[in-house]
Amino acid sequence: MKSNKTDTCDTFCYDEELVQRVQPQIEKASGVEQLFKALSDKTRMKIAYALTLEKELCVCDVANIIGSTTATASHHLRMLRDMNLAKTRKEGKLVFYSLADDHVHQLVSIALIHANEK
C-alpha cells in the first residue's frame, strides 16, 4: 500500500489533556480482540450469521447449512461457545446452539451491514 503524505503528521506533537483523558480508558478494550478473532474465521462467521437468522440450530443443521461435516460444525460451535458468543441447550441426544445474547446478534448484523455498504 502506497503511503499518502496526508496520512501522518508533519510535526510530532500531541494534545496532552486528550491523551491523559483517553489513555486510562484503553485497558477496557483488553480482551475484546478475542471476540473479533473468533468471528474473523469464515466458518464461524457463517455459523454466527445463520444463528441470527434462526433462534437456535442443532449441530446437524449447522453442518448442512455451511456444507461441512458435523465434526467441523461441532468444533466451530464449541469455539463460539467457549468464547461466550454462543450457548447450548440439550434435548435428549441433540445439542442446540443459539447466540449468547443480543449483543452478539447486533455485532454480526452490524458487520454484515458494514460489509455490504461497498
Side-chain angles (χ1 to χ4, degrees), residues 38-39 41 43-52 54-66 68-89 94-100:
L39 291 175
D41 178 87
T43 301
R44 287 191 292 276
M45 187 61 193
K46 286 179 180 180
I47 292 169
Y49 178 53
L51 290 171
T52 69
E54 292 293 325
K55 185 176 179 176
E56 65 179 12
L57 295 166
C58 76
V59 177
C60 296
D61 288 338
V62 170
N64 281 285
I65 288 168
I66 65 170
S68 76
T69 64
T70 54
T72 296
S74 183
H75 166 77
H76 287 290
L77 284 161
R78 200 169 27 256
M79 289 186 78
L80 290 171
R81 185 198 63 210
D82 291 347
M83 293 301 302
N84 297 317
L85 297 174
K87 59 186 177 182
T88 60
R89 176 182 70 82
L94 295 174
V95 179
F96 291 90
Y97 282 82
S98 60
L99 293 177

Side-chain angles (χ1 to χ4, degrees):
M1 186 169 113
K2 189 176 178 182
S3 178
N4 186 342
K5 291 269 185 197
T6 61
D7 290 348
T8 60
C9 295
D10 290 332
T11 60
F12 181 76
C13 65
Y14 67 95
D15 183 331
E16 188 174 346
E17 182 183 327
L18 180 143
V19 171
Q20 288 180 357
R21 184 175 65 246
V22 174
Q23 194 174 44
Q25 304 298 318
I26 294 301
E27 282 307 308
K28 290 180 182 178
S30 183
V32 175
E33 72 281 358
Q34 293 302 316
L35 179 147
F36 288 103
K37 186 175 180 178
L39 291 175
S40 70
D41 178 87
K42 188 175 185 176
T43 301
R44 287 191 292 276
M45 187 61 193
K46 286 179 180 180
I47 292 169
Y49 178 53
L51 290 171
T52 69
L53 301 174
E54 292 293 325
K55 185 176 179 176
E56 65 179 12
L57 295 166
C58 76
V59 177
C60 296
D61 288 338
V62 170
N64 281 285
I65 288 168
I66 65 170
S68 76
T69 64
T70 54
T72 296
S74 183
H75 166 77
H76 287 290
L77 284 161
R78 200 169 27 256
M79 289 186 78
L80 290 171
R81 185 198 63 210
D82 291 347
M83 293 301 302
N84 297 317
L85 297 174
K87 59 186 177 182
T88 60
R89 176 182 70 82
K90 279 192 160 194
E91 191 174 298
K93 291 186 177 189
L94 295 174
V95 179
F96 291 90
Y97 282 82
S98 60
L99 293 177
D101 57 40
D102 196 48
H103 295 117
V104 179
H105 191 285
Q106 290 175 27
L107 278 170
V108 173
S109 298
I110 290 169
L112 262 124
I113 291 167
H114 177 75
N116 289 316
E117 285 183 340
K118 296 177 184 176

